[in-house]
Amino acid sequence: MENKEQQGSLQIELPQNVALGEYANLAIITHSSSDFVIDFARVLPQLPKAQVRSRVVMGPEHAKRLLQALQDNIMRYERTFGKIQVNTPGGGRTADPFGIGRGEA
């Protein structure tokens, strides 16, 4: 029985250089038939370019699982802390926190 429990568990290592994380306030999502690519960037006022801080590549199944996990966590967050307000100029789908318009790489 102990072997079965050990086989079913997953140990995750969090290296010290990754533990602090990277702040990102912009995500750019692209995809092909086999992969989703999410670039996380940091947009700061008065700076002409957003810098990509991290890139995550995942298969479609994992992207959908991520979407479901985010939806679940946002619902739990809003039950605890209240509704998250998203200001989107012109009713668009993306946030433009500093009113700088479309980014360029």
Side-chain angles (χ1 to χ4, degrees), residues 27-31 35-41 52-59 62-63 66:
I28 302 163
I29 304 169
T30 56
H31 67 276
D35 293 306
F36 278 76
V37 178
I38 308 170
D39 287 326
F40 293 95
V52 173
R53 307 297 296 183
S54 181
R55 172 174 277 187
V56 176
V57 181
M58 60 180 65
H62 286 93
L66 174 62

Side-chain angles (χ1 to χ4, degrees), residues 1-9:
M1 180 100 171
E2 190 175 278
N3 260 350
K4 287 183 182 179
E5 288 176 5
Q6 287 178 350
Q7 287 176 351
S9 68

Side-chain angles (χ1 to χ4, degrees), residues 16-100:
Q16 196 169 21
N17 65 328
V18 176
L20 292 176
E22 284 286 348
Y23 176 76
N25 56 4
L26 175 68
I28 302 163
I29 304 169
T30 56
H31 67 276
S32 68
S33 61
S34 59
D35 293 306
F36 278 76
V37 178
I38 308 170
D39 287 326
F40 293 95
R42 184 180 305 162
V43 179
L44 297 173
Q46 308 303 319
L47 294 180
K49 287 186 177 182
Q51 185 180 34
V52 173
R53 307 297 296 183
S54 181
R55 172 174 277 187
V56 176
V57 181
M58 60 180 65
E61 298 86 1
H62 286 93
K64 191 154 192 176
R65 285 188 191 112
L66 174 62
L67 171 64
Q68 292 168 343
L70 282 170
Q71 287 174 328
D72 180 55
N73 278 271
I74 288 172
M75 286 188 321
R76 285 192 270 147
Y77 176 95
E78 289 182 331
R79 274 197 304 267
T80 303
F81 301 107
K83 186 159 177 64
I84 300 169
Q85 298 297 324
V86 178
N87 299 321
T88 54
R93 292 182 53 199
T94 60
D96 186 9
F98 301 113
I100 59 174

